[in-house]
Amino acid sequence: MKKLLLAASLLTLAASTPHTPPVAQKTAADPNTTNEVPQDNKLIIYQMMTRLFGNKVALNKPYGSITENGCGKFNDITDTALDEIKKLGVSHVWYTGVIEHASMTDYTSSGMPADDADVVKGRAGSPYAIRDYYDVAPDLAVNVKNRMAEYEALIQRTHTHGLKVLMDFIPNHVARSYKSDAKPVGVVDLGAKDDKTKAFAPNNNFYYIPGQPFVVPAGYNPLGGFKGPREDGKYAENPAKATGNDVFKAAPSIDDWFETVKLNYGVDYQDNRAPHFTPVPDTWLKMRDILLFWAAKNVDGFRCDMAEMVPVEFWAWVIPEVKKVKPDIVFIGEAYDAKTYKMYIEQGHFDYLYDKVGLYDGLRRLMTGSGTTDDITHVWKEESRGFSSHMLRFLENHDEQRIASKQFAGDPQRAIPAMTVTATLASGPIMLYFGQEVGEPAHGAEGFSSEDGRSSIFDYWGVPEHQKWMNQGKFDGAKLSPAQQDLRDFYSRLLNLSATSDAIRQGKFYELQDANNLGKEYNQRHLYTFLRYTGKQQLLIVVNFSADKTYRPTLNIPAEALTAMGLNPKKFYTYTDLLNNGTPRNDLYVKLEPLSAHVFELKAK
């Protein structure tokens, strides 16, 4: 109303003013939207920790061995499992932890002895401490000697079910024990030709601390009360290599990534990060060849670990190199520095980057009762303005705590409004972590991974609530509670709607907080409302983050928003809740239950 009065007064003023030549005026941008042209990047990714996904053993002994606690295999990801994942609305499966990594499990008979426990985290080992870039983890194979063929069969099986395959690429660091036994003929191993007398040399693959041996962090206890292989508080590495999290000393701390060594991309960190990128460094060439090796296995994309710890110049060179061979292959960067997002997308050529420090962190605050919806506004208005279609959004992954854990929200229902915003705010990809859809709380201290609210990536373990859905390989959810079945149904409805909705996949965005924040019963700290629209479809999305408060607002879509959507403000519309299988209604006087979400489609009467 204030806007209409202001417009009328301006017209009156113009009519009473003597004629003057017209002056070109710049139209003020609408503060409730952006001029970004959305791209249809609505990948729907199902991430699974491959070692945990198919494990049927429920013993869950802390620090248990693979024999005691069991381990999922490639072959456990059956046709039935893939059918059920596909039914969720999923387009891509990220098989996490596939590449061979350091482990305390002994496969000497297959040429892979157990690693020294002093430089391994967890009995199973971190899947981000790579031991051989050209091989897959023996844990994941039924027949260890046939492990690569079993992975190739999984790739083919996944494609047969209309799903695409993502896998890890870990470019920043490798295990201290790195040595490739499976490398193709002619490939020179990392570090094989390094000049170890130099702390840095442009064509060295590693950084060194000349004249100093590596020192295992004091007090490191790899297996609690058990003894690990060759555990003696020592590890033979002389000279010491720099540690993966940019620690350039021989004795990293117990909190460092001491089980890994940093790869050298031509940046001299100890000389003010001086770049040496011409000629192309040897590490760049080796990493390109590793990516091409896996691309030739017919994978569809890579999730690139700690992408910002590797110079953007490398990505700017290597991603086009790989896309020359496979143009449609996807690169997703794990990223945490909002100031560099645009650079890694535009200069580095990443297709997508993690939206962790923006949307995830903001939604986490809302889910735990400490945030407001202003955090969401800040994300679209400032942080990812102009490139939201390139931001991968999620509420769980292997690094983050489970929503249902006591360390996070303690209640999987808290995900309903937050996941709806995650999935529908923009046209970029969204990700679901296995077990999230049934409210897995990650209870228990698995071993190296303490009681921290995460499903361990370091230990052999069963994932109890996920195992109820898996039901010993039937993947029918028969052991789920009614509440879990309802939760999984919500995720299925949301993801399938996101996968098929024209407005969600490629529509423009318009926030309605300003249009509603003065309305009776509209608490903008808890409620968030916005539009997504194309010429074919117009949606009104509203969520309630409050865990105990029901609101009954009459939602307002202002005339300028209707006009922006190409609709006539003078017409009447029906509103059908697509998310909750609603019937058409004639008004927007809505009842917003605690932790609820609604996606209304507008149709002219």
Side-chain angles (χ1 to χ4, degrees), residues 463-492:
V463 182
E465 303 310 312
H466 166 73
Q467 287 178 328
K468 291 178 183 178
W469 170 72
M470 185 169 57
N471 193 15
Q472 292 297 312
K474 295 178 184 176
F475 299 98
D476 60 4
K479 295 184 178 181
L480 295 175
S481 70
Q484 287 177 310
Q485 291 173 350
D486 287 347
L487 183 68
R488 195 171 189 278
D489 179 62
F490 157 74
Y491 277 100
S492 179

Side-chain angles (χ1 to χ4, degrees), residues 27-181:
T27 304
D30 190 325
N32 299 297
T33 188
T34 75
N35 59 3
E36 178 179 350
V37 178
Q39 300 174 45
D40 184 355
N41 292 336
K42 192 54 76 178
L43 283 60
I44 299 178
I45 301 168
Y46 186 88
Q47 182 197 4
M48 68 169 70
M49 185 66 201
T50 315
R51 180 201 299 149
L52 301 179
F53 178 84
N55 185 20
K56 304 177 185 71
V57 180
L59 176 64
N60 284 356
K61 173 184 173 182
Y63 294 104
S65 69
I66 190 171
T67 304
E68 294 169 317
N69 280 352
C71 181
K73 310 293 182 184
F74 293 130
N75 290 359
D76 289 322
I77 307 163
T78 61
D79 289 309
T80 303
L82 292 166
D83 270 343
E84 294 304 314
I85 291 170
K86 176 76 172 176
K87 287 177 187 176
L88 277 174
V90 170
S91 61
H92 291 65
V93 184
W94 168 16
Y95 295 118
T96 306
V98 164
I99 301 177
E100 184 190 331
H101 54 270
S103 170
M104 296 188 210
T105 301
D106 190 5
Y107 291 97
T108 300
S109 61
S110 297
M112 293 168 286
D115 280 279
D116 188 319
D118 293 295
V119 287
V120 182
K121 290 181 177 177
R123 194 181 284 276
S126 168
Y128 295 96
I130 299 302
R131 187 166 63 187
D132 188 346
Y133 274 122
Y134 287 101
D135 208 349
V136 297
D139 280 350
L140 302 178
V142 174
N143 180 346
V144 173
K145 292 186 178 178
N146 197 39
R147 58 192 179 277
M148 186 63 81
E150 289 186 24
Y151 181 47
E152 291 168 345
L154 174 60
I155 295 171
Q156 178 57 50
R157 191 159 62 250
T158 306
H159 286 158
T160 298
H161 287 270
L163 295 161
K164 294 190 175 183
V165 173
L166 304 175
M167 65 180 290
D168 293 291
F169 174 56
I170 299 91
N172 178 67
H173 49 268
V174 295
R176 292 202 176 267
S177 60
Y178 186 90
K179 184 178 184 301
S180 177
D181 299 313

Side-chain angles (χ1 to χ4, degrees), residues 444-603:
E446 301 97 333
F448 178 82
S449 186
S450 58
E451 178 89 46
D452 63 357
R454 298 174 178 86
S455 295
S456 176
I457 66 170
F458 305 101
D459 306 281
Y460 298 112
W461 202 253
V463 182
E465 303 310 312
H466 166 73
Q467 287 178 328
K468 291 178 183 178
W469 170 72
M470 185 169 57
N471 193 15
Q472 292 297 312
K474 295 178 184 176
F475 299 98
D476 60 4
K479 295 184 178 181
L480 295 175
S481 70
Q484 287 177 310
Q485 291 173 350
D486 287 347
L487 183 68
R488 195 171 189 278
D489 179 62
F490 157 74
Y491 277 100
S492 179
R493 285 183 280 112
L494 175 65
L495 297 180
N496 276 289
L497 177 59
S498 300
T500 56
S501 163
D502 190 64
I504 294 172
R505 292 195 67 96
Q506 57 188 342
K508 292 185 177 181
F509 168 88
Y510 196 103
E511 187 182 83
L512 294 179
Q513 294 297 84
D514 284 348
N516 286 282
N517 63 9
L518 297 180
K520 186 179 179 182
E521 283 279 314
Y522 195 90
N523 182 343
Q524 67 172 346
R525 289 181 60 84
H526 294 158
L527 305 182
Y528 191 71
T529 309
F530 59 99
L531 302 166
R532 295 292 309 284
Y533 62 94
T534 63
K536 294 180 181 178
Q537 185 182 44
Q538 299 81 37
L539 299 179
L540 167 69
I541 300 163
V542 58
V543 299
N544 180 9
F545 285 98
S546 174
D548 54 21
K549 175 76 172 169
T550 296
Y551 293 98
R552 293 176 173 82
T554 298
L555 298 176
N556 175 41
I557 306 176
E560 56 265 35
L562 289 165
T563 301
M565 291 193 291
L567 302 181
N568 186 344
K570 295 182 180 180
K571 285 191 175 181
F572 292 96
Y573 297 88
T574 61
Y575 310 94
T576 305
D577 189 349
L578 302 182
L579 180 59
N580 299 298
N581 300 317
T583 56
R585 54 186 297 156
N586 295 321
D587 61 55
L588 285 174
Y589 175 63
V590 295
K591 182 180 180 182
L592 301 177
E593 301 276 5
L595 303 177
S596 64
H598 305 268
V599 179
F600 295 107
E601 183 176 36
L602 283 69
K603 292 283 188 182

Side-chain angles (χ1 to χ4, degrees), residues 159-410:
H159 286 158
T160 298
H161 287 270
L163 295 161
K164 294 190 175 183
V165 173
L166 304 175
M167 65 180 290
D168 293 291
F169 174 56
I170 299 91
N172 178 67
H173 49 268
V174 295
R176 292 202 176 267
S177 60
Y178 186 90
K179 184 178 184 301
S180 177
D181 299 313
K183 61 185 182 293
V185 175
V187 172
V188 177
D189 223 354
L190 285 166
K193 293 186 175 181
D194 280 6
D195 182 350
K196 298 179 182 180
T197 67
K198 294 180 179 178
F200 168 82
N203 274 325
N204 276 0
N205 299 134
F206 299 115
Y207 298 94
Y208 296 91
I209 297 89
Q212 298 182 53
F214 172 73
V215 180
V216 174
Y220 180 51
N221 183 6
L223 289 179
F226 303 95
K227 196 76 170 176
R230 302 197 300 284
E231 181 185 344
D232 59 2
K234 300 175 183 176
Y235 182 72
E237 180 181 287
N238 195 357
K241 300 183 182 79
T243 292
N245 60 320
D246 297 356
V247 175
F248 294 86
K249 57 185 180 182
S253 80
I254 201 165
D255 296 322
D256 288 319
W257 305 348
F258 65 84
E259 81 281 18
T260 68
V261 290
K262 174 85 173 174
L263 283 165
N264 170 13
Y265 283 81
V267 178
D268 189 348
Y269 284 82
Q270 294 171 299
D271 183 20
N272 296 313
R273 297 178 176 248
H276 298 263
F277 300 150
T278 306
V280 173
D282 183 70
T283 301
W284 292 26
L285 299 169
K286 282 183 165 62
M287 288 300 168
R288 177 199 61 188
D289 293 347
I290 290 162
L291 286 164
L292 290 172
F293 172 83
W294 292 109
K297 300 287 185 189
N298 210 21
V299 302
D300 302 288
F302 298 100
R303 178 269 189 187
C304 301
D305 188 67
M306 300 307 297
E308 294 162 320
M309 294 186 76
V310 173
V312 70
E313 291 85 355
F314 165 71
W315 299 114
W317 174 81
V318 79
I319 291 176
E321 285 283 299
V322 176
K323 290 195 175 191
K324 284 178 188 175
V325 177
K326 191 166 185 176
D328 294 333
I329 203 158
V330 169
F331 282 81
I332 300 169
E334 180 189 15
Y336 300 104
D337 183 359
K339 295 189 296 294
T340 65
Y341 286 170
K342 196 171 184 181
M343 178 176 70
Y344 274 82
I345 292 167
E346 293 182 355
Q347 182 183 338
H349 300 302
F350 271 98
D351 296 291
Y352 312 110
L353 297 177
Y354 270 33
D355 192 348
K356 193 272 179 192
V357 299
L359 192 63
Y360 170 89
D361 283 354
L363 290 174
R364 182 177 174 122
R365 287 189 290 271
L366 275 160
M367 294 165 74
T368 55
S370 63
T372 76
T373 59
D374 289 343
D375 288 329
I376 304 173
T377 302
H378 175 75
V379 168
W380 71 259
K381 205 167 197 176
E382 306 291 340
E383 197 168 89
S384 59
R385 188 182 186 97
F387 51 87
S388 66
S389 300
H390 295 279
M391 301 307 292
L392 166 64
R393 281 152 177 178
F394 54 84
L395 289 181
E396 284 189 5
N397 63 45
H398 67 279
D399 285 318
E400 308 301 338
Q401 291 166 327
R402 294 285 193 175
I403 296 160
S405 71
K406 60 186 179 183
Q407 293 86 353
F408 188 169

